[in-house]
Amino acid sequence: MKNRRFGYDSYWVAYFDLLGFENRVRDMPDVHPILEEYRTALTEIRRRPKEIRCKWFSDTFLFYTPDDSADSLAQIVPVCKSFFHRMMRSRMPIRGCLCVGDFFEDVSDGVLVGPALIDAYKLGERQDWLGFVLSPHASSRRKKYDLFWDCFQKYDVPVDHSESTEQLDAFRISC
């Protein structure tokens, strides 16, 4: 859906962060183990449908859709689930967040910007666990579309490196 005032479109945007990556880069005298981690991630990324776009830099991976439709949600959720599970199976600790909202992509220059990206980043970084959550807005949109109900459940997610928690929809590990 087009927000004509600012030129944004509404997208599904998923943010992933590999945990402990900075320490591994600093502590490893050889880059090859890090390259193997990347190969694992890139192998999984290549399996995604072409409609799901992906960008990455260092230990950050973004997946996003061309719109905020139910069909796009139905495509991005399995990609996120598969990526998250593959990284965990490969012993690469990861956390992430799926948001929906205003986002802009300039394909020619590779620019990605928008409130949905900021929200995904902030909620992704606030988590103090290994997990993948939906933002509250994404969760209510998912419920409206009635998709993937059995793959998510409410968790008291530890946040902000403190004793506090926030109740969010997250992937069930067994899903």
Side-chain angles (χ1 to χ4, degrees), residues 60-73:
T60 300
F61 295 84
L62 301 174
F63 295 94
Y64 53 100
T65 63
D67 59 38
D68 65 351
S69 68
D71 287 342
S72 289
L73 176 61

Side-chain angles (χ1 to χ4, degrees), residues 43-56:
T43 296
E44 188 61 35
I45 287 168
R46 288 183 189 107
R47 295 178 185 168
R48 77 190 190 285
K50 67 178 188 241
E51 295 82 12
I52 304 299
R53 299 168 181 146
C54 183
K55 300 282 184 188
W56 62 91

Side-chain angles (χ1 to χ4, degrees), residues 1 9-15 51-54 62-77 80 97-103 116-117 120 132-145 147-148 152:
M1 165 182 350
D9 287 322
S10 190
Y11 289 64
W12 292 99
V13 179
Y15 162 88
E51 295 82 12
I52 304 299
R53 299 168 181 146
C54 183
L62 301 174
F63 295 94
Y64 53 100
T65 63
D67 59 38
D68 65 351
S69 68
D71 287 342
S72 289
L73 176 61
Q75 289 181 332
I76 198 169
V77 166
C80 292
C97 178
L98 178 64
C99 287
V100 63
D102 289 342
F103 184 77
L117 178 58
F132 185 80
V133 301
L134 299 179
S135 71
H137 184 59
S139 183
S140 68
R141 181 75 66 90
R142 177 193 59 84
K143 289 174 186 170
K144 175 183 158 190
Y145 292 153
L147 293 173
F148 304 104
F152 296 95

Side-chain angles (χ1 to χ4, degrees), residues 81-145:
K81 189 172 105 174
S82 179
F83 186 73
F84 177 80
H85 285 227
R86 173 71 175 160
M87 297 303 98
M88 294 296 286
R89 281 191 310 272
S90 298
R91 299 181 196 262
M92 294 169 61
I94 191 168
R95 66 178 169 213
C97 178
L98 178 64
C99 287
V100 63
D102 289 342
F103 184 77
F104 176 81
E105 172 191 26
D106 183 331
V107 177
S108 61
D109 291 328
V111 173
L112 305 175
V113 66
L117 178 58
I118 293 167
D119 292 346
Y121 167 78
K122 283 185 171 183
L123 187 52
E125 289 297 310
R126 284 187 62 221
Q127 299 172 63
D128 193 17
W129 75 333
L130 303 176
F132 185 80
V133 301
L134 299 179
S135 71
H137 184 59
S139 183
S140 68
R141 181 75 66 90
R142 177 193 59 84
K143 289 174 186 170
K144 175 183 158 190
Y145 292 153

